[in-house]
Amino acid sequence: MIELEGVPELIDPVMVAAFEGWNDAGDAASSAVAHLDREWKGEVFAALDAEDYYDFQVNRPTVWLDGGVRKITWPTTRLSVVRIGGDKPRDLVLVRGIEPSMRWRSFCNELLGFAHELGVEMVVVLGALLGDTPHTRPVPVSGVTSDPDLARTMDLEETRYEGPTGIVGILQEACTHAGVPAVSLWAAVPHYVSQPPNPKATMALLNRLEDLIGVRIPLGELPEDARAWQLGVDQLAAEDSEVAEYVQTLEEARDTAELPEASGEAIAREFERYLRRRDIAPGQGPGGHATESGDATYLRDTSSGRTRPPKPPKPEPGPPPGTDQGTAGRGSAEQGSAGEQSSEEDTGPEDSSED
C-alpha cells in the first residue's frame, strides 16, 4: 500500500517520465524532465528502493562530501510534483531515474501504484533515439501510443513496432493494460553527434510536450544552448569534408521527404502552434513559471540536490557513415515511433528501441 501523506490533492495531474540509458540518446529525454523539475522547483516526495531494481556494478553509487561528512547517493528513480499556475492550474508528477537493471514488471507496477494514488490522468514517457537526421534541421519528434482511440483523438501514431524494447516501451504497455492513457514522445538525435548533452533535442521534446498537455513550458536558457550546440557542430563538420558531405546528403534526403508537407494545411497548423506559444494565460506571468502555494507541503529528499548543467561543450563528430553508430549505453532507435529516421537493420540495443 502506497501512502503519500506529504502530497496534497493534485489538480488534473499528468505523469511525465524519462529514464537515463538505452532510451535516452544524447541525454535528451532525462534532461527534459530535469528542466521541468528545475524550472518549476519540483519537490521530491518518493524514491524507489535502489536495492530492488539496480545492479550497482552497472550503475554505481557515488560518494560526496556534505560539510565534511561523506554521503552516498544511490542510483534510483525519484518522483516529484510541480504545480503550474494560471487560470487553469494543473500538476505534473515528474519521474526521473535510470533504466532499471532487473524486475521491470515490479518497477512499472510500483510507478502505476503512485499514478493510481495520485489520480494521474495520463502518463507521458519521453525518449530519444539515434537516427539518420541532420543536426541542421528541426529535430523530428514522434508521438506514439498503443491506444487506437488515443491515437485518433490526440493525432498520434499507433505503434506497430516489433523487436527489442527498453523500459519506455514496457512502461507504456503496462499503462495500457492497467487502463491508464499513455503516450511516448521520441526525439531523433543525429547518430554522428550522439554524445550528451543535446539541448536542441531536449527543447524539441519540451515543445511537443507543451502541445500535448496544453501548458506553457518556460524554456529558460535552452534556446541559447541549442544555438551554441548547433554552431559548434557546424564548425566541426566544416573541418571534415567527409562529415560535411554526409550532412549535406542527410539534408537533401530530409528536405525531399518533407516536401509534400509544405502545404497550406501544414503551414496553418504550425502558425496556430506559434500563436498558442505566444499566448500567456493571465496570472501565469511571461515566463510561465509555477506560482508558489503555501499549502503545498511536499516531502523533500535532501539527498537529491539539483544543479544547472554546464554549458554544452562542442561535440565531436562521431564515426562516418557505414561504421557502428552505437554509443556505449546511450541512445536507441525507436522503430515504432520514428521508423522514418532509423534503420530496421539494428544490430544492438544502442541502435534499436521501441515505444
Side-chain angles (χ1 to χ4, degrees):
M1 181 67 178
I2 298 174
E3 297 181 0
L4 303 174
E5 298 178 355
V7 181
E9 184 175 354
L10 303 183
I11 303 172
D12 300 329
V14 173
M15 178 177 282
V16 181
F19 304 94
E20 299 174 16
W22 203 57
N23 297 144
D24 192 24
D27 288 356
S30 57
S31 294
V33 173
H35 177 86
L36 296 173
D37 192 66
R38 183 171 58 247
E39 290 293 323
W40 280 322
K41 300 178 175 59
E43 296 286 351
V44 174
F45 65 85
L48 305 189
D49 189 343
E51 291 279 350
D52 292 339
Y53 304 114
Y54 295 99
D55 180 347
F56 299 138
Q57 290 183 327
V58 176
N59 297 291
R60 292 186 179 274
T62 57
V63 179
W64 55 288
L65 293 175
D66 181 15
V69 179
R70 293 174 64 83
K71 294 186 176 181
I72 298 176
T73 299
W74 297 94
T76 188
T77 294
R78 293 182 172 85
L79 291 84
S80 58
V81 172
V82 299
R83 175 153 295 174
I84 305 170
D87 281 350
K88 295 182 179 180
R90 79 178 312 171
D91 294 308
L92 298 183
V93 179
L94 304 180
V95 179
R96 182 187 175 203
I98 305 170
E99 183 177 64
S101 306
M102 61 195 79
R103 302 185 182 91
W104 283 20
R105 285 176 291 186
S106 298
F107 180 87
C108 292
N109 287 337
E110 190 164 354
L111 290 180
L112 283 171
F114 282 109
H116 174 73
E117 289 295 320
L118 295 168
V120 166
E121 297 181 347
M122 182 170 66
V123 174
V124 181
V125 193
L126 306 183
L129 55 94
L130 298 179
D132 293 329
T133 181
H135 72 279
T136 53
R137 297 294 186 264
V139 175
V141 177
S142 300
V144 297
T145 180
S146 300
D147 186 334
D149 295 331
L150 199 61
R152 183 176 60 257
T153 58
M154 303 192 73
D155 192 24
L156 301 167
E157 300 175 29
E158 188 177 351
T159 179
R160 291 287 185 267
Y161 172 76
E162 296 178 311
T165 185
I167 193 60
V168 172
I170 297 299
L171 179 57
Q172 177 169 316
E173 290 306 307
C175 291
T176 300
H177 289 299
V180 179
V183 175
S184 296
L185 299 181
W186 289 92
V189 172
H191 67 81
Y192 58 89
V193 57
S194 59
Q195 64 270 29
N198 190 318
K200 187 173 182 178
T202 295
M203 187 168 65
L205 280 171
L206 291 174
N207 286 336
R208 188 70 171 85
L209 177 65
E210 183 179 73
D211 292 341
L212 183 70
I213 64 177
V215 301
R216 180 173 172 79
I217 298 175
L219 296 178
E221 297 181 2
L222 271 178
E224 179 185 347
D225 292 344
R227 285 191 293 269
W229 177 86
Q230 182 163 327
L231 286 174
V233 181
D234 286 342
Q235 293 172 3
L236 290 172
E239 296 171 0
D240 189 318
S241 59
E242 291 186 2
V243 173
E245 182 179 353
Y246 180 59
V247 171
Q248 183 179 359
T249 301
L250 293 178
E251 290 173 340
E252 293 172 354
R254 173 77 176 273
D255 294 343
T256 300
E258 292 185 348
L259 188 60
E261 292 297 324
S263 63
E265 182 180 352
I267 294 172
R269 286 198 303 266
E270 185 61 25
F271 184 64
E272 289 174 359
R273 181 182 183 280
Y274 168 75
L275 292 178
R276 285 197 304 271
R277 284 184 55 78
R278 284 177 58 89
D279 182 24
I280 302 174
Q284 186 172 353
H289 292 270
T291 56
E292 295 185 0
S293 175
D295 58 353
T297 306
Y298 303 122
L299 297 181
R300 183 186 298 273
D301 183 348
T302 57
S303 68
S304 59
R306 296 286 189 266
T307 60
R308 180 175 294 277
K311 292 287 184 180
K314 293 183 179 179
E316 298 179 0
T323 60
D324 184 8
Q325 299 174 6
T327 55
R330 293 293 178 198
S332 55
E334 174 62 28
Q335 304 296 342
S337 61
E340 298 80 7
Q341 294 93 32
S342 56
S343 167
E344 293 191 5
E345 298 177 355
D346 299 327
T347 58
E350 289 79 5
D351 290 336
S352 66
S353 77
E354 69 81 65
D355 42 80

